[in-house]
Amino acid sequence: MYKENQFPLQASELEGQLLGALMNGTENGYDQVSRQQLTKEDFYDDKHKSIFAAIQDLINEQAPINKETVIERMKRNGTLKLEEDENYIAELANKADINLDDIEYYSKIIVDKSIHRKLIIFGKKLIGMASKEESNVEELIQKAEDDLFNIGRKFYKKDSASLADISREVCGETDEEIETYLNTPKRGIYSGFHALDKLTHGWQKSDLIIIAARTSMGKTALALSMAINMALNNKRPVAFFSLEMSSKSIYERLLVNISNVDSEDFKSRKELEDVGKDKLRIGIHLTRNKEKCPIYIDDTAGLSISELRIKALREVRDHQVQCIFVDYLQQMTVKGDGGKPQYREQEVSMISRGLKEIAKDLDIPIIALAQLNRNVDTRNKTDKTDNSPQLSDIRESGAIEQDADIVCFIHKEKVKEKVKEKENGNYEYKLIVSKHRNGETGPIDIVFNKDQVR
């Protein structure tokens, strides 16, 4: 039975050997350590933590690493207090006798032991929390998932790959596969908006796409229309995280869109004719078929970036989701992500950076909706030349425009705001691709049909 402060899963002897080898200047030794993502917290012995921290400082300063420089650095760090510590460091350096391959192997063992210890502590902590009857079960499960994910973060990070390996992965191994690659257009996940897909070649894997607009401009309708096109027409499973609307509301908006009926008639039911009800019946049965309409909705309010990371990983694993929508970015938080930043702009920047990391880690596009600030409305009234949204108009923008691979704005042309309508009663809008890291930018004409939420 595990007891406090009693860890059989430790390797103090190997830790000392590893540190001694690093102080002896084993060629490329620290590179091998870095490959295993070894940190000072992975060491069991507190003295070893301090020694490794000093070595890391010397690496960052591009200073020579030996027992003398390590001792001096530890003095500056305030972590060397006793003469016997100096003797211990010298002893480690003098008796170390391991080669480059040993360093990588020893590092892996130390990391593995560290993770075992963390799992033991995690299990003990979980038992303590679960033993309290007043504990909220949902919060308990969420906290457990967060802690477990943080323990296993090392396994989600990739090592570098050679250009040769990347080439084989991208272009194929054989001459035949290379020819196929050369003759196959680059395609991502099509949005179903042909002009947009022509410009972007579809949403690409690992991209973060921001779709921004002022309120009531149809951001959610556009995202839902894309989700339907992807899932229904192209059989690409998608996940829709709605932080503002309930899953039932999202479902009914999807149903109206799919069934092609008037939303006001749908709400009242009284104005629905038999044809409309027949369309809705077909839509209801279609949405109940997971293979024909693979859309997954999560309406967790106040979702944090760490919660989204766990949920997104689960959606990809369990449902093979190929694209994720977030409605909308500024509704997210960083609770449970290492402390709340002082300013909201910093928090939003952390969220946008986190979304980009999730897109890269899961290798899927993430489409996040965002609010524009009031500058757009002010400029619409004063600027007679260009009243279209700009990157700086994204509310609490922070690093959003930097992290995003593509930024699109939904914009209603000023001259069309008053009267101009098409014959079917739908106003014209523009989708402006303002930033495209790997391609062209420009405006695209779209139509927002508010009656059918599409």
Side-chain angles (χ1 to χ4, degrees):
M1 181 68 181
Y2 163 76
K3 294 181 180 179
E4 192 73 35
N5 298 324
Q6 184 177 342
F7 287 115
L9 294 166
Q10 53 91 6
S12 291
E13 184 65 28
L14 293 186
E15 292 177 3
Q17 288 279 343
L18 175 66
L19 294 170
L22 292 175
M23 286 187 286
N24 278 336
T26 303
E27 188 178 0
N28 298 325
Y30 191 79
D31 291 342
Q32 301 300 98
V33 168
S34 299
R35 274 177 118 181
Q36 298 301 322
Q37 299 174 45
L38 182 67
T39 69
K40 72 172 186 177
E41 299 305 324
D42 291 318
F43 287 84
Y44 174 70
D45 191 301
D46 287 339
K47 284 190 293 188
H48 294 165
K49 292 180 194 286
S50 299
I51 295 170
F52 187 74
I55 292 173
Q56 283 185 308
D57 290 340
L58 293 169
I59 289 288
N60 293 332
E61 295 169 2
Q62 297 183 329
I65 301 172
N66 52 54
K67 59 186 178 184
E68 289 82 11
T69 57
V70 170
I71 289 171
E72 183 60 32
R73 182 67 212 192
M74 289 181 67
K75 287 179 180 178
R76 287 167 56 193
N77 290 347
T79 54
L80 187 78
K81 300 177 181 177
L82 300 173
E83 185 178 340
E84 63 186 59
D85 290 344
E86 293 189 34
N87 296 333
Y88 180 70
I89 293 169
E91 183 182 346
L92 289 181
N94 292 334
K95 73 176 184 179
D97 184 25
I98 61 175
N99 58 34
L100 189 62
D101 291 335
D102 290 336
I103 286 180
E104 184 172 6
Y105 179 66
Y106 282 23
S107 297
K108 186 178 186 310
I109 291 175
I110 294 169
V111 169
D112 286 350
K113 299 286 187 186
S114 172
I115 292 175
H116 274 98
R117 294 195 299 272
K118 288 173 182 175
L119 287 171
I120 291 172
I121 295 173
F122 165 76
K124 192 171 186 288
K125 181 180 176 183
L126 185 60
I127 290 171
M129 291 190 298
S131 299
K132 299 176 181 178
E133 290 188 13
E134 66 272 17
S135 299
N136 182 293
V137 173
E138 291 183 3
E139 291 180 1
L140 182 62
I141 292 173
Q142 186 61 62
K143 183 68 170 64
E145 287 186 334
D146 285 351
D147 289 349
L148 191 59
F149 183 86
N150 288 330
I151 291 173
R153 284 183 70 91
K154 292 178 188 289
F155 298 105
Y156 294 101
K157 294 181 179 178
K158 297 179 180 178
D159 200 355
S160 62
S162 71
L163 196 61
D165 290 339
I166 297 171
S167 173
R168 290 183 176 88
E169 182 181 352
V170 173
C171 307
E173 187 74 41
T174 66
D175 290 340
E176 183 178 352
E177 290 172 333
I178 292 173
E179 290 305 312
T180 300
Y181 169 77
L182 293 176
N183 289 289
T184 303
K186 186 176 182 180
R187 290 195 183 102
I189 300 178
Y190 287 151
S191 69
F193 293 82
H194 300 303
L196 178 63
D197 291 332
K198 184 177 180 180
L199 191 72
T200 63
H201 301 286
W203 305 129
Q204 303 297 320
K205 292 180 178 180
S206 80
D207 274 3
L208 173 60
I209 300 104
I210 301 294
I211 298 177
R214 288 292 288 148
T215 57
S216 302
M217 291 287 284
K219 294 188 298 297
T220 303
L222 178 63
L224 291 176
S225 294
M226 288 184 184
I228 290 170
N229 291 335
M230 293 174 187
L232 200 59
N233 301 330
N234 297 321
K235 300 298 180 287
R236 301 288 195 110
V238 301
F240 197 98
F241 288 89
S242 174
L243 284 79
E244 194 170 35
M245 298 175 62
S246 70
S247 59
K248 292 178 182 178
S249 297
I250 291 291
Y251 171 75
E252 290 190 330
R253 294 188 72 167
L254 283 167
L255 181 60
V256 167
N257 187 311
I258 291 171
S259 304
N260 197 21
V261 298
D262 186 278
S263 60
E264 291 303 317
D265 292 348
F266 171 78
K267 290 174 185 176
S268 67
R269 302 294 200 272
K270 294 180 181 180
E271 302 298 325
L272 273 176
E273 298 178 355
D274 290 340
V275 174
K277 290 182 179 178
D278 287 341
K279 288 181 179 180
L280 285 168
R281 289 188 187 97
I282 293 171
I284 290 170
H285 287 291
L286 182 60
T287 57
R288 290 185 178 184
N289 189 319
K290 291 182 182 179
E291 293 183 1
K292 290 184 177 180
C293 193
I295 299 177
Y296 300 88
I297 300 170
D298 186 306
D299 63 356
T300 304
L303 195 66
S304 74
I305 194 67
S306 64
E307 290 169 338
L308 178 66
R309 183 181 291 111
I310 293 167
K311 287 173 175 284
L313 182 66
R314 195 183 301 151
E315 294 293 341
V316 171
R317 181 193 64 203
D318 296 345
H319 302 131
Q320 292 74 55
V321 158
Q322 296 182 32
C323 183
I324 286 174
F325 292 83
V326 178
D327 183 14
Y328 59 93
L329 186 150
Q330 286 100 338
Q331 289 279 5
M332 296 189 68
T333 70
V334 293
K335 64 180 182 182
D337 288 74
K340 190 175 178 67
Q342 185 176 0
Y343 302 107
R344 176 58 181 165
E345 288 78 5
Q346 294 175 334
E347 186 175 28
V348 173
S349 294
M350 291 173 64
I351 292 166
S352 70
R353 196 172 304 116
L355 288 173
K356 177 59 182 175
E357 289 174 358
I358 296 170
K360 286 182 66 178
D361 288 345
L362 299 182
D363 199 26
I364 61 173
I366 290 182
I367 301 171
L369 308 187
Q371 289 276 26
L372 294 180
N373 58 37
R374 297 182 183 276
N375 292 345
V376 179
D377 297 335
T378 305
R379 193 165 56 249
N380 284 348
K381 295 176 182 178
T382 60
D383 195 329
K384 304 299 183 183
T385 56
D386 183 12
N387 60 1
S388 59
Q390 301 170 8
L391 291 173
S392 58
D393 293 327
I394 301 176
R395 185 177 169 191
E396 299 163 332
S397 59
I400 294 176
E401 63 269 25
Q402 298 176 27
D403 296 323
D405 297 280
I406 297 176
V407 177
C408 303
F409 296 114
I410 302 174
H411 179 54
K412 193 174 184 179
E413 290 274 89
K414 192 171 184 179
V415 295
K416 297 178 182 178
E417 283 182 356
K418 292 183 179 179
V419 183
K420 186 168 183 178
E421 298 184 64
K422 300 176 87 62
E423 290 181 3
N424 61 1
N426 299 329
Y427 287 93
E428 265 194 2
Y429 286 69
K430 286 189 181 296
L431 183 65
I432 303 172
V433 180
S434 184
K435 175 186 177 180
H436 188 189
R437 199 186 299 275
N438 299 309
E440 299 178 18
T441 60
I444 295 165
D445 289 325
I446 58 173
V447 175
F448 178 25
N449 186 332
K450 292 185 179 180
D451 294 338
Q452 296 174 349
V453 201
R454 58 163 59 179

